[in-house]
Amino acid sequence: MERSMQKLINPDMVVLAREYRSLTQKELADAVLVKQPQIAMLEGGVENSVSFDTIETISKALDFPIEFFYLSENRIGFGSSSVYYRKSSAITASDRKKISSLTNLARIGLMRLLDAVEIDADFILPRIDLKDVDDSPGKAASIVRASWNLPDGPIQNLTNFVERSGVIIIECDFGIKGISGTGMRLANIPPIIFLNSSLPPDRYRFTLAHELAHLVIHDTPKETMEDEADEFASELLMQKCEFKVSVSQFGKQPTLRNLVALKPYWKVAVSSMIMRMAELSLISEQTKRSLFIQMSNLKMRMSEPQPFLKEIPVLYPKLIRSAIGDFTEDLEVAKKIMTMPEDVFKLLYASSLKEEMVVPSSRLRLV
């Protein structure tokens, strides 16, 4: 970008880059050798026609290309009507800002990818008002299963059906364990589900189903939304009629050995099966507590056996390869296309560009 250009800086991009680098306004001001109020005014849009030299210094301090700060994009924050997140009391404000900045960067990059590639979905992802299904998330999940033409029983590859519904699944290293996933359903972009890449196979599937629930049944945040999403996920993955038949063979006192044996069939955590059985009154509260105590004693609560492979999203990597091409030998060109710093580019795209990916069931149409 030439020094003579008088284009106004985008305050949102300054905030986004700063929060991704986990810096406060004061820390950025110190790095740029200005006063903190000047950064505050810049990020507030009060002083967005600052000199090129100042922007250049900010660019170097945050290690983001200068062009990034002039993108005509908006930040979307946690807690808005279009972003949902699974929260934990252990998550700090700094953690939330870092995850928010990461998902925003991925979303902005995705919009650039979609300038070159269009997605044809096999299924329509429904929007369901819970009032129309007797306030039952389980009934909403049944509608989704029906829209996918699924037979009764387990879903063998949930990722495949979610992607075939036009949802883009992006796995990212969140850097923390407290947040498993988040999602976006916006007017100008396909629905997106972000999943923490550190999730084990069983937690991955339940989190994917949970985030799908938010896309399907929630328009605005509310106090009961997390419980509703869990109920939706339980019915989607452990269909009531078939699950009851499956576990009835164990009677009212199933053992952990029984449930571990069923795990590769239903592809959910043993803990999820225990909760589902209690929810369906197939076991007593006392039996539920006893099973969870046994799991704790065996250190299974934090590390269950994983007797099945983790599902792999293929739509997003295919989209990346189709839009960018294989620039592994010319990283500078690829970074320029995406207007991203090298570390962000590698985090979001490098693995997809380096490996030949399996063609997904969803079709990609080049435009």
Side-chain angles (χ1 to χ4, degrees):
M1 181 173 292
E2 299 295 332
R3 288 177 179 270
S4 59
M5 293 184 68
Q6 296 299 313
K7 191 175 180 181
L8 296 181
I9 194 171
N10 183 342
D12 270 355
M13 296 302 98
V14 179
V15 178
L16 180 52
R18 177 178 60 78
E19 291 186 345
Y20 183 77
R21 296 303 182 199
S22 299
L23 295 179
T24 64
Q25 289 183 344
K26 176 65 166 56
E27 288 169 335
L28 177 58
D30 289 344
V32 181
L33 301 178
V34 299
K35 299 294 185 181
Q36 185 269 336
Q38 185 175 349
I39 299 297
M41 287 190 294
L42 178 62
E43 293 185 350
V46 178
E47 187 179 334
N48 59 359
S49 58
V50 295
S51 70
F52 184 89
D53 287 341
T54 299
I55 298 304
E56 189 174 41
T57 306
I58 290 174
S59 169
K60 290 178 180 178
L62 295 175
D63 193 19
F64 268 72
I66 290 176
E67 292 80 4
F68 177 83
F69 301 103
Y70 294 91
L71 294 176
S72 57
E73 301 288 350
N74 297 315
R75 284 187 309 131
I76 297 175
F78 282 129
S80 75
S81 61
S82 55
V83 181
Y84 303 95
Y85 61 98
R86 306 193 71 190
K87 60 185 178 180
S88 165
S89 59
I91 300 303
T92 66
S94 178
D95 289 334
R96 287 181 54 191
K97 288 179 180 179
K98 185 65 181 286
I99 301 303
S100 179
S101 62
L102 176 60
T103 55
N104 268 284
L105 287 169
R107 174 185 58 84
I108 290 169
L110 177 61
M111 293 179 71
R112 298 176 82 80
L113 296 176
L114 291 172
D115 286 339
V117 178
E118 188 172 316
I119 297 173
D120 268 346
D122 296 326
F123 304 115
I124 295 175
L125 184 67
R127 294 294 292 264
I128 300 172
D129 189 332
L130 287 179
K131 294 179 182 178
D132 295 334
V133 289
D134 304 320
D135 290 318
S136 170
K139 288 184 179 180
S142 296
I143 291 174
V144 171
R145 288 182 65 103
S147 72
W148 290 345
N149 298 314
L150 288 175
D152 291 338
I155 301 176
Q156 292 304 312
N157 189 333
L158 177 62
T159 297
N160 177 54
F161 283 97
V162 173
E163 290 187 320
R164 291 174 65 188
S165 298
V167 179
I168 298 173
I169 303 170
I170 302 178
E171 282 196 281
C172 298
D173 181 3
F174 289 178
I176 55 176
K177 295 182 179 180
I179 296 181
S180 299
T182 187
M184 301 178 182
R185 190 164 188 169
L186 307 171
N188 62 341
I189 196 170
I192 312 170
I193 291 176
F194 297 94
L195 298 176
N196 197 333
S197 58
S198 66
L199 296 176
D202 54 11
R203 184 72 178 275
Y204 168 95
R205 276 170 57 93
F206 196 89
T207 301
L208 177 57
H210 178 106
E211 297 304 331
L212 180 69
H214 288 315
L215 299 181
V216 172
I217 64 177
H218 292 137
D219 287 322
T220 55
K222 58 180 179 177
E223 187 176 352
T224 58
M225 62 186 290
E226 294 300 305
D227 290 337
E228 290 170 351
D230 281 344
E231 184 179 337
F232 177 102
S234 293
E235 177 62 30
L236 189 71
L237 295 173
M238 294 169 282
Q239 186 187 28
K240 179 179 178 179
C241 57
E242 291 296 312
F243 185 75
K244 289 177 71 172
V245 172
S246 180
V247 299
S248 63
Q249 59 185 301
F250 306 132
K252 293 287 187 179
Q253 298 291 330
T255 66
L256 287 182
R257 186 185 294 263
N258 296 148
L259 299 180
V260 169
L262 271 186
K263 182 166 180 170
Y265 179 70
W266 288 101
K267 296 185 177 180
V268 295
V270 169
S271 58
S272 294
M273 285 190 276
I274 294 172
M275 293 295 293
R276 184 65 166 157
M277 286 188 293
E279 175 191 328
L280 298 175
S281 300
L282 300 176
I283 58 173
S284 66
E285 282 297 311
Q286 182 178 355
T287 299
K288 179 179 114 175
R289 287 194 299 270
S290 174
L291 288 169
F292 277 128
I293 290 172
Q294 293 175 54
M295 288 186 69
S296 295
N297 291 339
L298 294 171
K299 301 186 187 310
M300 282 180 60
R301 292 297 295 271
M302 299 301 294
S303 181
E304 284 195 25
Q306 302 292 338
F308 59 91
L309 295 177
K310 187 174 182 179
E311 295 176 6
I312 301 175
V314 293
L315 179 55
Y316 182 59
K318 176 71 176 184
L319 193 158
I320 292 169
R321 291 185 65 84
S322 298
I324 300 179
D326 193 344
F327 283 109
T328 54
E329 299 301 321
D330 197 347
L331 184 59
E332 290 303 317
V333 174
K335 287 190 301 179
K336 190 174 181 63
I337 292 173
M338 301 309 296
T339 322
M340 298 285 180
E342 183 169 338
D343 61 325
V344 176
F345 180 88
K346 288 182 176 179
L347 179 66
L348 295 176
Y349 312 116
S351 62
S352 299
L353 292 173
K354 289 179 181 177
E355 300 173 6
E356 289 293 334
M357 306 301 298
V358 178
V359 177
S361 297
S362 297
R363 298 184 297 275
L364 291 176
R365 185 173 72 248
L366 299 182
V367 294

